[in-house]
Amino acid sequence: MDHFWWIAVGIGIVTGLRSMTAPAVVSWAAHLGWLHLQGSPLALVGSTAAVAVFSLAAVGEYVADKLPRTPPRTALVGFTVRIIMGALCGACVGGSAGQSFLFGALLGIVGAVLGTLGGYQVRTQLVKALKVKDIFVAIPEDLVAVGLGVFLVSIR
C-alpha cells in the first residue's frame, strides 16, 4: 500500500469528524481482513469484542452528538479522544501497510486535528449560512464520516 500515508491522514480526518466512527470502521476492516493486523501489537483491534465495542460506541456517539448539551468537538476531552483515536487508527493503517506504526499514528494525529478543527468550522458555518437547525448538518456529516471511512479502509 504505497499510498498508506494519505489513507492514514484521511482516517484521522474521519476521527476528527466522529471520534468513534474511524475506530469502528478500522476494527471492522481488520476483522474482515481488509487491514492486515494479525500477529501485530494491534491485532486485538480486529477482534469480535473490539468490533462490538467500537461499533456500539459509534452508534452512541451519533445519538449523543445530536443532544443540545453535548460539548463541541473542540473541547479538551473530545479533542483529546479524537487525537488518541486518530493515532490508533493511523497506526493500524501504517502497520497494515507494512510501515511504521509510529509514523502511521503521527499521520492519524495530523488528520484528527485537521478533521476536528475543519469539521467544526464547516459544520458551524453551514448551520449559520443555511439558517437550519444543527441536526440538518449533523446527520449528513455522520454519513460523510462513515462513507469516507469505509472508502479509505477498502482501498488496496
Side-chain angles (χ1 to χ4, degrees):
M1 207 185 313
D2 294 332
H3 45 277
F4 93 94
W5 64 271
W6 67 267
I7 296 173
V9 171
I11 205 70
I13 289 171
V14 172
T15 305
L17 297 176
R18 292 289 178 273
S19 62
M20 291 297 132
T21 294
V25 167
V26 165
S27 185
W28 271 104
H31 187 72
L32 295 171
W34 296 358
L35 294 179
H36 305 287
L37 299 175
Q38 305 87 342
S40 80
L42 295 174
L44 182 63
V45 170
S47 69
T48 302
V51 166
V53 168
F54 285 132
S55 296
L56 288 173
V59 170
E61 183 180 25
Y62 300 140
V63 172
D65 178 62
K66 311 312 177 280
L67 301 175
R69 294 186 189 249
T70 301
R73 71 188 83 196
T74 55
L76 181 60
V77 173
F79 206 162
T80 302
V81 169
R82 283 168 165 76
I83 288 170
I84 292 167
M85 291 297 122
L88 172 65
C89 293
C92 289
V93 168
S96 176
Q99 303 293 325
S100 162
F101 287 108
L102 179 59
F103 187 51
L106 292 173
L107 292 171
I109 290 169
V110 168
V113 170
L114 292 172
T116 301
L117 299 176
Y120 178 78
Q121 287 301 314
V122 168
R123 181 165 163 179
T124 56
Q125 293 303 317
L126 278 173
V127 167
K128 287 178 190 174
L130 298 173
K131 297 179 178 143
V132 295
K133 291 184 179 184
D134 183 73
I135 194 165
F136 294 112
V137 176
I139 291 173
E141 185 182 11
D142 294 340
L143 298 173
V144 166
V146 172
L148 180 59
V150 171
F151 170 74
L152 289 168
V153 297
S154 68
I155 297 172
R156 304 203 190 217

